Amino acid sequence: MVRLLGRSWARSIPRPGGLRARRRRDSHDRPRRAHGRRTPQTPHRPLGRRGAHGDGPRRGPAGPRLPLGGRSLAGQVFVLQVAIVLLLVAAAVVALILQVRHDSTQEARNRSLAVAETFANAPGTREALRAPDPTAVLQPRAEAARVQSKVDFVVVMNTDGVRYTHPKPDRIGKTFVGTLDPALAGKSFTEEITGTIGPLVQAVVPVKEDDGSVVGLVSAGITTENVGGVGDRQLPLLLTAAGAALALALGGTALVSTRLLRQTHGLGPFEMTRMYEHHDAVLHAVREGVLIVGGEGRLLLANDEAHRLLDLPENAEGLHVLELGLDTDTGDLLASGRVATDEVRLVGDRLLAINQRPTDLKGGPAGSVATLRDSTELRALSGRAEVAREHLKLLYDAGVGIGTTLDVTRTAEELAEVAVPRFADYATVDLAEAVLSGEEPDAGTSLRRTAFSGIRKDAPLYAVGERIGFVASTPQAHSLGTGEAVVAPDLREAHGWLAQDLGRTAQVVEYGIHSLITVPLRAGNLVMGVANFWRSEKPEPFDDEELALAEELVARAAVSIDNARRYTREHTMAVTLQRSLLPRNLPEQSALDIAYRYLPAQAGVGGDWFDVLPLSGARVALVVGDVVGHGLHAAATMGRLRTAVHNFSALDLPPDELLGLLDELVGRIDQDEVAEDGEDSNAAVTGATCLYAVYDPASRRCTVARAGHPPPAVIRPDGTVDFPEVPAGPPLGLGGLPFETAELELDEGSRLVLYTDGLVEDRERDIDVGLELLRTALTGADRSPEDTCQGVLDALLPPRPSDDIALIVAGTRALGSDRIAEWQVPSEPSAVGEVRASVTRQLAEWELDEMVFTTELMLSELVTNAIRYGSGPIRVRMLLDRTLICEVFDGSSTSPHLRYAATTDEGGRGLFLVAQLAERWGTRYTPAGKVIWAEQSLS
C-alpha cells in the first residue's frame, strides 16, 4: 500500500496483464465500500483479451496496438484536439485576413485625406483657382503630387464639381463623381464609391479663402484594387504562418497523446473505470487512514479509516482541509503538503502519527498523500513533547518579536505581549526611570511601571506610568538586590509580597491572581528593572521548569532593552547637540513673513539644517542644507556648515560664489578626516547638499543657487504652485564644477517654500511622487505661511520619519516705491551738494528731520569717496525699512577700508566717521561694481 501511494497516480496504474492475474485469483466481484456505504456490483468482463463486444485491449505479435487508435483514450483525445486546433487556426486566418483588409482600407482613407488636404492648403492653389486657365497651372502640380504620394488621382474642381485636373486628360472639364455637399460646407470627408476609374476610396477637401469661403475643391483617392492589393500580398504569408502553426499544433497534440497512451497503457475508457474501481476498493479496505489533498489544499479522497480517525463529515471531499474542523496544527500540516515522517498530533482523544509525501516529486500532479496511524499509547510522551515544543516556540517568537524597535518602552511592551496568554495571564515590566531616559540606574531607586499586558484590563495591579517603591520583603526587591529570579507559588501565603501594599495586595488575591514569577532585567552587572508574570486562570502554580523558561525569556528581552537604552542615550545627546546648533529664534526683518518646521528623524538624528540671515539693503537670505547620515557626526558637521554659511553671508557674496566657498570647505573637512594610513575615515562628509536664496524686497527678485538639493517651490498669489528651474549643481565636496544661479521674480504675496528631501522622499515613495504630493498640499491661495507649513506636514509626514525634515515657508513682501529714493550722481565734486539737498528733502518727506545731519554727513563722505576713487556710473539709494539704509553704487571693484588717519593727514577720516555714525556698514559687490552701504537705527 505504501509503495502504491508513493508514486504518482498515473504511474501506479497496473498493467493489463497484472489485472488479468488478479482477476484469475478473484473469481467473484466484491462490492466495495466508500465512506461506509456499499456500492452495487459492476458486471465483470475479463480484461486480458477482447470481450464479446470488442472493448478489451488489443494485442498482437508486434506488441501494443497502434499509438493513436481511435478506441483508446489517447486516440479519442488526439482526434478531439486535432479538431479544436483546426477550428482555431481557421478562425485565426479569417480574422487576420479581415483585419488586414480593414487596415488597408483605413490606410487608404488616411492617405487620400492627407494628400487632398496638403494639396488644398499648398501655396498657390487658391491663386491658381482664380487664374484664367486653372488647368494649365494645376494639372502639372496635381500629377506630380499624385505620383509622389502614390495615390491614383488628385482632382481639383470648382464649387460646381467641374474638374480642372485628372490623371486622364479627357476627363478634365467633366463633372466630378462623388459627394460634394460636406466639402462645400467647409468640411473634409472621405467616402467609398464607384467612380470613372472604378471602385475607389476618395477624400474631398475644400479650398478656402481667408474669410472662410470655399473657392474650390480638391479630391484625392486610391482605387479598391490597390487598396486590397496589400491584403492579397500578405495572404500567402498568413496562410504559410497558419500552416506552420497547424503543423506545430498537430505535432504537440501527437506528443501529448503518445504520452497519455504510455500513461494509460492503451486502455479504453471502460477499462480505466474498472481499474480505478479496484484501486478505490483497496484504499477503503486498508486499516490505515489515507488522505489525498490537491495542489490547492482541497481534500480529494479520504478512506473509511481516515473518516473514523479524524471524525470527518460525510461531504468532506471537495472542502479545503482548513474547513474540515481539524485543530490548527493538523490542518496546517495537511494544507502545507510538506514532507512529514511520523509526526505526532493530538486529534480529539486520539494520538495520531502522520506521514505525508508530496505527489509532484517525480512529475506527478500537485498535491500530497498522508497516512494516519492511531498511536494513542504515546499520549503521555506526546504531552511532554508538546509542552517542550510550546516553550521552544515561545522563545523563538520572543527572539523575533522583542526588540523590533530601539524604543525602551516599546521593547518592554513587546516582552509583556509575548508572554500573555501563552505563558502567563498577566505580565508587567517595571523599569528604573533612568533607563527610560537612556542612563544607567542607581541602586535603590524606585521603578516606574512601563508595560502591562493581560487577558483582562481590570486587574488591580499597578497602572502603567505609576511609580513603585518595593519594600525589602517583596520578591521584586529581592530580585533587584540579588539579580536572581524568584517564584511565589501561592500569593496568599507570600507574606513578604503581601506587605507591599496591604489594600492592593488583598484586592489582587481576591481578584484571583494566585501565583507570581519575578525575574530581574539584567544586562551584565546592570539591573534595569524587573519583569513580573502573574497567573490566575490556570489553577496550578508556577513551577521550577516555568521559572527557568521565564529567566530565558527575560534574558533575551533584557539585551534588547539595554540596546534601546544605549540608543536612547546617544539619540538624546545627538538631538540636544543638533537643536543647540539650529536657530532658536528667527532674526527680525521685514522682507519675508516666515514660518518653519524642523522634525528630527525618529530612527536617528540626521544633519538637516536651515537658517534665515538678514543682509544689507533690506535683503534676506534663506538657506537649507542636508548632511547625509545620522548621529553625532552628522549633527556636528551640520553645525560647521551652518557657521560657515553665517561667515560667508557676512561678505554679501552672490549665492553661486557662496556655494563655491562652501564646496571648498567641505572638501577640506574631508581631507582633515582622512586617516593616517591613507584610508578614508568613516566620519568623512559625503552627500552634503545646500540651497541658498537671497530675496530683495526692493526689486522683488530672488536669486537662488543649489548644490544637489531639491528645487524650491513657489506659490503664486492666485494659489498655483510651480517648481522653478534652478540648475542643480553637484553636492558639496565634489569640487571641480561651478554653481549657477537662477533669478526669480516674485509678486508680493507669493510664498517661497524650501525643504529637505526627507519631506518628499522615503523608502516607500519616490521623489517624483513626493513632489506631486507636495504640489497638491501647497496649492491654494489666502493661506498664511504658518497654515501652509502645517498643511504640508499633515499631507506628507510619514508615521515614523526615517530622515530629518526641514521646511521653510516665506511669504514675500515688497518695499513700496514711496519708501525708496534714488538719484544718479555725476562724477563731479559739485554733485555732493545736490545729493545733500535731495537727502534733506527726502528725509523731511519721511518725517525723519532729526536724522538729516548724520545722513548728509555719511552720504557726503561716501559719495566723495566714490567720485574720487571709484568710477561711474555713480548712484545713491535710500531705503526706509526697519532702519534707514543709505547705499552708494559705483563701477569700481576696489573696496575701501577703515584706518586711523595721522594728525598730519589731510584725509582718511571719512569711513571712520561713517563707522561711528552708522549702526552697521559694509561693502557688497555686484556684476557692475560695488555698493557701500550704511544703516542707521530709526529710534
Side-chain angles (χ1 to χ4, degrees), residues 556-864:
R556 299 189 180 196
V559 175
S560 298
I561 291 178
D562 187 53
N563 289 338
R565 179 190 65 81
R566 294 171 182 270
Y567 171 79
T568 300
R569 180 182 60 188
E570 293 186 3
H571 184 268
T572 302
M573 293 172 57
V575 168
T576 302
L577 172 62
Q578 186 183 42
R579 291 199 178 276
S580 67
L581 296 175
L582 291 171
R584 300 187 179 182
N585 296 301
L586 296 181
E588 295 182 354
Q589 47 82 32
S590 302
L592 298 171
D593 179 15
I594 296 177
Y596 69 92
R597 294 289 189 276
Y598 185 85
L599 301 174
Q602 294 187 15
V605 175
D608 291 15
W609 55 283
F610 70 94
D611 220 333
V612 180
L613 306 170
L615 303 178
S616 63
R619 298 171 304 132
V620 177
L622 300 176
V623 58
V624 291
D626 182 6
V627 177
V628 174
H630 295 85
L632 292 174
H633 177 71
T637 303
M638 174 268 290
R640 298 168 76 175
L641 295 181
R642 179 171 176 255
T643 302
V645 171
H646 267 271
N647 294 333
F648 293 151
S649 67
L651 301 176
D652 256 333
L653 298 175
D656 54 338
E657 295 184 17
L658 185 143
L659 290 182
L661 295 176
L662 202 62
D663 180 62
E664 295 179 6
L665 173 65
V666 172
R668 289 197 299 271
I669 291 176
D670 280 345
Q671 293 177 2
D672 294 341
E673 298 288 351
V674 174
E676 294 182 358
D677 59 358
E679 296 181 359
D680 291 344
S681 169
N682 292 331
V685 180
T686 56
T689 66
C690 183
L691 186 147
Y692 188 81
V694 177
Y695 175 68
D696 186 353
S699 63
R700 294 184 290 103
R701 288 187 172 274
C702 183
T703 306
V704 185
R706 61 187 179 115
H709 202 81
V714 176
I715 309 173
R716 303 297 178 182
D718 60 358
T720 59
V721 179
D722 62 344
F723 293 91
E725 290 291 337
V726 179
L732 298 176
L734 298 182
L737 294 175
F739 297 96
E740 300 179 61
T741 61
E743 291 281 345
L744 310 178
E745 184 170 352
L746 305 178
D747 296 332
E748 186 173 10
S750 300
R751 282 163 287 168
L752 182 65
V753 181
L754 310 182
Y755 52 92
T756 55
D757 59 357
L759 181 66
V760 296
E761 184 179 18
D762 59 26
R763 296 171 184 172
E764 300 178 357
R765 182 174 63 201
D766 188 70
I767 189 171
D768 294 333
V769 177
L771 290 176
E772 285 303 315
L773 292 176
L774 178 61
R775 182 194 302 273
T776 303
L778 293 175
T779 302
D782 300 330
R783 284 201 298 177
S784 66
E786 188 69 28
D787 294 339
T788 304
C789 274
Q790 191 58 47
V792 169
L793 293 184
D794 291 343
L796 277 78
L797 185 64
R800 187 175 178 83
S802 59
D803 195 4
D804 293 358
I805 294 175
L807 173 65
I808 302 178
V809 179
T812 60
R813 298 170 180 157
L815 197 62
S817 58
D818 58 335
R819 303 173 73 87
I820 302 174
E822 190 172 9
W823 305 279
Q824 295 291 334
V825 180
S827 297
E828 300 174 0
S830 60
V832 177
E834 297 179 5
V835 171
R836 287 199 298 267
S838 299
V839 168
T840 301
R841 289 192 299 270
Q842 186 62 52
L843 292 178
E845 183 179 339
W846 285 344
E847 299 180 356
L848 299 175
D849 300 283
E850 68 278 3
M851 302 180 68
V852 170
F853 176 74
T854 57
T855 305
E856 284 185 350
L857 181 58
M858 286 192 301
L859 281 176
S860 297
E861 295 296 335
L862 294 178
V863 172
T864 300

Side-chain angles (χ1 to χ4, degrees), residues 191-205:
E191 61 179 349
E192 297 183 31
I193 66 167
T194 300
T196 57
I197 58 176
L200 52 86
V201 177
Q202 67 180 8
V204 182
V205 176

Side-chain angles (χ1 to χ4, degrees), residues 436-639:
L436 297 175
S437 59
E439 303 299 329
E440 295 185 1
D442 297 328
T445 59
S446 61
L447 305 182
R448 185 177 295 275
R449 177 133 301 171
T450 308
F452 168 84
S453 180
I455 58 177
R456 292 165 59 183
K457 301 299 182 184
D458 58 347
L461 300 171
Y462 288 112
V464 173
E466 191 169 349
R467 182 178 295 179
I468 308 172
F470 292 106
V471 299
S473 62
T474 59
Q476 290 85 352
H478 180 78
S479 293
L480 290 172
T482 63
E484 298 177 352
V486 178
V487 59
D490 189 353
L491 291 180
R492 292 171 295 183
E493 303 297 330
H495 301 291
W497 174 78
L498 292 171
Q500 169 68 27
D501 183 345
L502 295 178
R504 184 180 293 274
T505 54
Q507 292 177 2
V508 172
V509 173
E510 184 180 357
Y511 184 79
I513 297 176
H514 61 82
S515 189
L516 165 68
I517 290 179
T518 295
V519 185
L521 284 157
R522 296 180 53 187
N525 295 325
L526 180 65
V527 179
M528 299 174 289
V530 292
N532 307 294
F533 304 99
W534 314 79
R535 175 171 287 176
S536 64
E537 296 294 321
K538 188 177 180 180
E540 295 82 5
F542 286 117
D543 55 24
D544 292 339
E545 184 178 348
E546 290 169 321
L547 176 63
L549 175 61
E551 289 180 314
E552 179 68 21
L553 179 64
V554 173
R556 299 189 180 196
V559 175
S560 298
I561 291 178
D562 187 53
N563 289 338
R565 179 190 65 81
R566 294 171 182 270
Y567 171 79
T568 300
R569 180 182 60 188
E570 293 186 3
H571 184 268
T572 302
M573 293 172 57
V575 168
T576 302
L577 172 62
Q578 186 183 42
R579 291 199 178 276
S580 67
L581 296 175
L582 291 171
R584 300 187 179 182
N585 296 301
L586 296 181
E588 295 182 354
Q589 47 82 32
S590 302
L592 298 171
D593 179 15
I594 296 177
Y596 69 92
R597 294 289 189 276
Y598 185 85
L599 301 174
Q602 294 187 15
V605 175
D608 291 15
W609 55 283
F610 70 94
D611 220 333
V612 180
L613 306 170
L615 303 178
S616 63
R619 298 171 304 132
V620 177
L622 300 176
V623 58
V624 291
D626 182 6
V627 177
V628 174
H630 295 85
L632 292 174
H633 177 71
T637 303
M638 174 268 290

Side-chain angles (χ1 to χ4, degrees), residues 96-440:
L96 287 174
I97 292 174
L98 293 178
Q99 183 65 37
V100 168
R101 292 295 176 86
H102 174 270
D103 293 343
S104 300
T105 303
Q106 187 62 36
E107 173 64 20
R109 287 176 175 269
N110 295 338
R111 192 195 305 176
S112 61
L113 182 61
V115 171
E117 288 181 342
T118 302
F119 196 89
N121 296 315
T125 301
R126 287 184 299 179
E127 291 76 4
L129 289 170
R130 292 194 295 265
D133 187 5
T135 299
V137 178
L138 295 175
Q139 176 69 5
R141 296 183 184 179
E143 285 303 293
R146 179 182 65 82
V147 173
Q148 192 71 22
S149 60
K150 299 180 180 180
V151 295
D152 288 322
F153 66 86
V154 176
V155 174
V156 184
M157 67 198 86
N158 60 17
T159 55
D160 294 328
V162 177
R163 299 188 186 98
Y164 291 142
T165 66
H166 196 276
K168 298 180 179 180
D170 61 332
R171 308 291 173 87
I172 296 174
K174 297 181 180 180
T175 302
F176 177 76
V177 178
T179 304
L180 300 180
D181 293 339
L184 293 175
K187 297 180 180 179
S188 302
F189 73 99
T190 59
E191 61 179 349
E192 297 183 31
I193 66 167
T194 300
T196 57
I197 58 176
L200 52 86
V201 177
Q202 67 180 8
V204 182
V205 176
V207 180
K208 301 179 182 179
E209 289 286 0
D210 294 336
D211 58 357
S213 60
V214 177
V215 298
L217 305 173
V218 176
S219 176
I222 304 175
T223 62
T224 303
E225 179 182 357
N226 291 334
V227 172
V230 176
D232 295 339
R233 289 191 296 272
Q234 293 182 356
L235 184 58
L237 177 61
L238 293 176
L239 294 177
T240 302
L246 178 60
L248 291 175
L250 290 177
T253 300
L255 290 176
V256 172
S257 298
T258 303
R259 181 174 178 82
L260 182 59
L261 180 67
R262 288 199 304 269
Q263 294 290 339
T264 60
H265 303 286
L267 298 178
F270 176 77
E271 297 159 350
M272 293 288 294
T273 301
R274 290 296 303 275
M275 181 192 63
Y276 282 117
E277 287 176 352
H278 281 84
H279 276 264
D280 195 48
V282 172
L283 285 174
H284 289 282
V286 296
R287 299 306 299 170
E288 192 172 80
V290 179
L291 295 175
I292 300 179
V293 180
E296 298 180 354
R298 297 192 175 275
L299 182 62
L300 301 181
L301 182 144
N303 67 352
D304 296 344
E305 186 68 5
H307 272 263
R308 185 183 69 83
L309 295 177
L310 298 178
D311 194 20
L312 297 177
E314 291 187 1
N315 60 341
E317 279 81 357
L319 296 178
H320 197 280
V321 293
L322 298 179
E323 301 173 354
L324 298 176
L326 304 176
D327 63 279
T328 303
D329 291 341
T330 305
D332 291 342
L333 172 61
L334 296 177
S336 67
R338 63 179 176 83
V339 175
T341 302
D342 287 334
E343 292 196 11
V344 179
R345 292 288 187 276
L346 184 61
V347 180
D349 58 349
R350 295 185 180 90
L351 201 62
L352 302 182
I354 302 177
N355 289 274
Q356 182 169 264
R357 295 293 184 272
T359 58
D360 57 354
L361 294 180
K362 295 182 179 180
S368 61
V369 176
T371 61
L372 314 172
R373 291 196 315 272
D374 192 352
S375 304
T376 307
E377 64 275 8
L378 301 176
R379 177 176 302 179
L381 178 61
S382 174
R384 291 195 295 271
E386 183 69 16
V387 171
R389 189 183 68 83
E390 289 295 335
H391 288 179
L392 289 175
K393 190 173 188 305
L394 175 63
L395 293 177
Y396 172 78
D397 292 343
V400 174
I402 299 176
T404 58
T405 67
L406 290 173
D407 182 83
V408 175
T409 300
R410 181 56 193 154
T411 305
E413 292 172 349
E414 290 171 344
L415 169 59
E417 292 169 358
V418 166
V420 176
R422 298 164 61 182
F423 177 69
D425 298 319
Y426 300 92
T428 59
V429 180
D430 306 323
L431 297 176
E433 293 192 22
V435 174
L436 297 175
S437 59
E439 303 299 329
E440 295 185 1

